[in-house]
Amino acid sequence: MLGRSVFSRPGSFRPENLGHSALAMIGNVCFSVFVVGVLVFTIIAATYEPEDPLFHPSTKITTFLTSESNATFKSDNTVVKTGEDFVAANETVFGSIINMEDVNNSANAESGGEAATVASECETTGPIDCRDPEVFHMLMRATIEKFKDIHFYRFGKAVPGSNDSTCDMAWRFRPKEGKAAAFYKDYRRFVIQRAENCSLSIVSIGEYHSGLNARKRKKNQKPGLEKAPPKVDQVTALPVFGETNVNDSLPVVESESSFSHGKYLIYVGGGDRCKSMNHYLWSFLCALGEAQYLNRTLVMDLSICLSSIYTSSKQDEEGKDFRFYFDFEHLKEAASVLDKEQFWTDWNKWHEKDGMGLHLVEDYKITPMKLKEVKDSLIMRKFGEVEPDNYWYRVCEGETESVVKRPWHLIWKSKRLMDIVSAIASRLNWDYDAVHIVRGEKARNKELWPNLDAHTSPDALLSTLRDKIDDGRHLYIATNEPDTSFFDPLKDKYTTHFLDEYKDLWDETSEWNSDTTKLNNGVPVEFDGYMRVSIDTEVFLRGKKQIETFNDLTSDCKDGINTCNVQTN
């Protein structure tokens, strides 16, 4: 090494070669970055799944619910999704379908395989024996033959009808092309004729829910025919629409001892009142989720303030009952809840005597995790006056979001409203197509929806639907257009139906009116805007074909110009 500088360089790093080396090194680095970038992008593309809009992080929901922007994005006042909407309509959940072969096999088994014989002399007078197995099988065959668009899962035993020549029978069913994970119940009256040789035939089958004597199934009564019923936990996880004996009475504490040993959670005050139903449910489910996390009974206010966006008066309306809109029977059976008024009555009677403590929380940032060890009988969350920090759902944001889950499965739509849906679909024999036509304010606002008015005109609808709906079909039109005669030109090709065609299902003589009046302490209940939209939407969703305004009828975006891509983010 003598004579060589300690700073001597290899040939490639000599000054005359430095430029070439630097360029080569930079090229290698850039290529490496490119390869890594492609690899990362490939992994993301392969594993990415779009978010369910109902399960966005709370901060996104908060931004949506509290937005007062007058830009192109407009909040929607459509029907909220509830627990049954998230259950997959998988046939394995419902059990086995009863078909004509099953009825014939059942008849052969009961007759011992011998063909029925007609006596040479028979009694042609006297009442029809509805409990005769031959009559029962005849009714089932006639039902399966008549209603070709539904699947049957259970037949109840036939019972005598209104006179000697009628029988009533009930059944549980689903539409063949049904997408909702739910059962439906119908019971109808059969008029039966006896010939001179005593052979029987069915003259007619009554309308939906005409077989009143078969409406109530006795406790522990076995069905007339049911194939391999599904597991009990699967059945109880699904609503049954068309049941008339809805038990949504308020839960009552059994005794002072039971009350004093209980643990409770109540939310008081806040800015959630009179907001949209989406907002209400998002907040209520936060409270219910916290109560379940803390293993406490939720003390809830069954009195709802209905937002002006749903009322005919265009004013917020207090005094609406939770049970008008949601299935309280399911909620009280599946979760621990108490009515607020009843709770405070019991609390004032017993809390001092029994030493029941109250823990007050006035900051939504105090998480449920910090309240886990509270021993007091009652935890009261008190919300202030400043929005949006006084919204109940703020409790479930941040770190709480990954711990407290909203129990969507506990909230179902009102069975009374869904019975109206079932009645409408049944009158259409579950064999209709549906189109949802949004007009109203959006059609008049050319700035945000420049094409909507023209694209939903009768001429445009006839042109668009020509390739989507077959001529002569029953077409249910769900719409916010108040003047349904606007759609009269469609009658040349379709048999059109609108919600108001079925007013008898909620008028003064209806069962819905009778039930809701009783719930409302004898005061008749208005069939309000939210109920209308709810039923209109649910009937639409049960159509065999469903044509939406946005995407199917118009090129405009649902929330206004330049928002089509935003809606999917």
Side-chain angles (χ1 to χ4, degrees), residues 142-159:
T143 303
I144 294 174
E145 180 65 29
K146 179 177 177 64
F147 303 110
K148 300 181 183 298
D149 290 289
I150 63 178
H151 283 153
F152 297 91
Y153 294 88
R154 174 194 293 170
F155 284 99
K157 295 179 179 179
V159 297

Side-chain angles (χ1 to χ4, degrees), residues 81-91 93-94 149-151 153 173-184 238-239 241 413 418 421 425 430-434 469 473 537-548 552:
K81 287 194 173 186
T82 49
E84 67 271 37
D85 296 320
F86 300 113
V87 180
N90 189 321
E91 282 297 331
V93 176
F94 305 115
D149 290 289
I150 63 178
H151 283 153
Y153 294 88
F173 71 96
R174 291 187 68 251
K176 285 184 178 179
E177 299 183 24
K179 299 176 180 63
F183 287 114
Y184 302 83
L238 297 174
F241 300 131
K413 296 176 182 68
M418 293 305 299
V421 174
W430 298 89
D431 183 19
Y432 65 95
D433 299 318
I469 305 293
R473 289 284 293 162
T537 301
E538 295 298 328
V539 175
F540 163 79
L541 291 174
R542 282 152 181 78
K544 287 188 172 179
K545 290 183 180 178
Q546 300 159 17
I547 309 299
E548 283 279 10
D552 294 328

Side-chain angles (χ1 to χ4, degrees), residues 85 105 148 180 187 231 234 242 304 442 489 491 501 504:
D85 296 320
N105 290 340
K148 300 181 183 298
Y187 38 89
K231 297 178 181 178
Q234 292 177 327
I304 292 178
K442 288 186 176 182
K491 293 181 179 179
E501 182 180 329
D504 63 293

